[in-house]
Amino acid sequence: MAKAVYVGVNSKARKMKKAYIGIGGTARKVKKMYIGVGGKARLCYSAEADKFGTATPLSKYRTLLAGTTVGGYALFGGGGYDDDAHKGEAIMDAYNTSLTRTTAASLSVARQGLTAITLGNHALFVGGRSGDTAFGTVDVYDASLTRTTATELSIARYDSAAAVVGSYALFAGGRRNNGLFTMSQSAVDAYNTSLTRTTATPLVDEIWACAGGSVGGYAVFGGGCDLNTDTSHIEPIGGTGVVQTYDSSLTSSRAEPLSCNRTGHSAATIGNHLLFAGGWNDTTGKYLSTVESYDASLTRSTAVELSSAKIDLASATVGEYAMFAGGYKGKSDAAYVATVDAYNTALTKTTMPDLSVGRHGLASAVIGDYALFAGGISKISSTIDQYQDVVDVYSA
């Protein structure tokens, strides 16, 4: 568990976030501090990431939910159940900086497979599905957890990706039910801080299960599945390695592609790097452990691999670490992955203590110094899956 030091400021205890010491005329960051207790050195401060423990469980177990942050709250909204006709939920669980859980106003429409991101003082929960119906609904929560709705997406869809650039939140790709068929989508909708919707240049491919993030002055979307299918996120047929970018004027261009087709992966930004991690390569039929990095000039490089190849993982950036947690890696009792890998700004990897339950289809959100990984689906026997309400907490 990470340790903290507090200092008195105006009669209040304030947590020290960083500590430095002068060495040879240069300020060096302190990673750990120890204090002598009974003749033994005891750790009293750590700036390194670690597992904090678990928080109060979600108010209801579920998978395919979405998470993001607004004001002093980490939010987890929606979700559902793959084996119940893709039924959606409208639940919104909120965790404050003390990790106390409350229940905020429900989503206006119950749904799973939705996408969430923070833009300014708003948390946006966008799209989703319940049963055979796709939604374009955009629910907006402010810092007081008051819910409003914004203009709907230009095309109702689920399994889209999101990224922020400048004053815009972009929602790209996805899929929707179209009568008897499920159709992949290329639409990109952009919402500004006034929640006005603009339609940006479409993606070059119609895709779902891609990943998005921000680096430099760009929103970046990479990979995804380009097949029209209603199959689950696990081992989908069809894939792409295309990487498409948008600047703050919503001008679109293409960056160097991923090194291989990649679907069901996750993305996180740390420092000047956007990382794409894990996923499934339909060409080779293999789960991926590779981690690819794009810097602020959109130059691609390769980082140290994940400790396990997997798909359908979650990611979060907290402090100076990008974390990748959970996932799925095959049809076996060990297929539901509990590993958590953390990358610092130098892209050095640290393998963290495992999640309390190996699972995929989980969501993440960050509040203060904590990254929360919530919900998902796990395996409790060779034939039985179980939806999860557990919330694992990591600190940095």
Side-chain angles (χ1 to χ4, degrees):
M1 180 183 298
K3 303 289 184 179
V5 170
Y6 292 81
V7 295
V9 179
N10 295 328
S11 301
K12 293 184 179 181
R14 302 292 188 183
K15 184 177 179 181
M16 184 172 67
K17 294 185 177 180
K18 295 180 181 180
Y20 295 85
I21 188 170
I23 299 177
T26 302
R28 303 291 189 184
K29 185 177 179 181
V30 176
K31 294 185 176 181
K32 292 182 179 180
M33 292 183 188
Y34 294 84
I35 189 172
V37 178
K40 295 184 178 181
R42 303 293 188 185
L43 181 67
C44 66
Y45 169 82
S46 174
E48 297 180 346
D50 203 349
K51 185 170 184 180
F52 180 81
T54 57
T56 303
L58 297 171
S59 57
K60 187 173 183 179
Y61 54 80
R62 55 202 196 269
T63 187
L64 302 176
L65 63 167
T68 194
T69 304
V70 67
Y73 296 94
L75 301 182
F76 294 99
Y81 320 96
D82 265 347
D83 60 359
D84 188 14
H86 301 295
K87 176 186 174 182
E89 291 282 359
I91 302 166
M92 182 62 67
D93 290 315
Y95 292 80
N96 65 16
T97 54
S98 299
L99 302 181
T100 301
R101 192 201 77 204
T102 56
T103 302
S106 298
L107 296 169
S108 61
V109 177
R111 55 206 198 267
Q112 61 170 278
L114 65 171
T115 305
I117 201 165
T118 301
L119 178 66
N121 295 318
H122 298 102
L124 282 64
F125 288 82
V126 173
R129 73 177 295 182
S130 188
D132 291 330
T133 302
F135 296 99
T137 309
V138 179
D139 284 314
V140 181
Y141 291 79
D142 64 17
S144 62
L145 300 186
T146 300
R147 193 207 75 211
T148 56
T149 56
T151 303
E152 291 195 354
L153 296 171
S154 59
I155 299 174
R157 56 197 192 271
Y158 59 98
D159 289 343
S160 57
V164 169
V165 61
S167 60
Y168 293 98
L170 277 62
F171 298 92
R175 51 181 172 167
R176 66 172 297 180
N177 303 97
N178 184 16
L180 296 175
F181 304 100
T182 298
M183 306 296 292
S184 302
Q185 301 295 320
S186 61
V188 178
D189 290 311
Y191 290 79
N192 65 16
T193 51
S194 299
L195 303 180
T196 302
R197 192 198 76 200
T198 301
T199 301
T201 303
L203 299 172
V204 296
D205 295 312
E206 296 173 337
I207 55 172
W208 57 276
C210 66
S214 305
V215 67
Y218 301 94
V220 183
F221 298 97
C225 180
D226 56 4
L227 187 70
N228 295 324
T229 176
D230 194 33
T231 59
S232 73
H233 292 200
I234 306 304
E235 301 182 6
I237 300 172
T240 179
V242 171
V243 175
Q244 191 159 343
T245 71
Y246 295 81
D247 66 17
S248 59
S249 299
L250 302 184
T251 301
S252 177
S253 59
R254 290 171 65 172
E256 182 180 1
L258 297 168
S259 60
C260 65
N261 292 348
R262 192 187 291 261
T263 300
H265 47 302
S266 192
T269 301
I270 185 65
N272 294 318
H273 301 276
L274 172 61
L275 306 181
F276 291 99
W280 166 260
N281 184 339
D282 75 302
T283 303
T284 62
K286 293 184 179 297
Y287 298 97
L288 297 172
S289 59
T290 51
V291 179
E292 300 185 66
S293 167
Y294 287 79
D295 64 18
S297 62
L298 301 180
T299 300
R300 193 197 78 203
S301 59
T302 302
V304 178
E305 293 190 359
L306 297 172
S307 54
S308 175
K310 52 190 178 180
I311 192 175
D312 207 19
L313 60 164
S315 61
T317 299
V318 58
E320 296 184 354
Y321 293 89
M323 298 183 183
F324 296 93
Y328 177 91
K329 63 175 183 180
K331 299 174 182 177
S332 71
D333 290 348
Y336 295 68
V337 182
T339 55
V340 180
D341 293 309
Y343 293 80
N344 65 15
T345 55
L347 302 188
T348 301
K349 186 190 83 175
T350 301
T351 299
M352 311 294 292
D354 284 353
L355 297 171
S356 55
V357 179
R359 59 200 194 271
H360 67 97
L362 64 169
S364 65
V366 173
I367 184 66
D369 298 323
Y370 300 114
L372 282 61
F373 296 96
I377 186 169
S378 65
K379 198 175 190 70
I380 59 174
S381 76
S382 59
T383 58
I384 301 176
D385 291 339
Q386 178 173 303
Y387 297 106
Q388 289 290 334
D389 59 6
V390 66
V391 179
D392 287 296
V393 182
Y394 290 78
S395 60

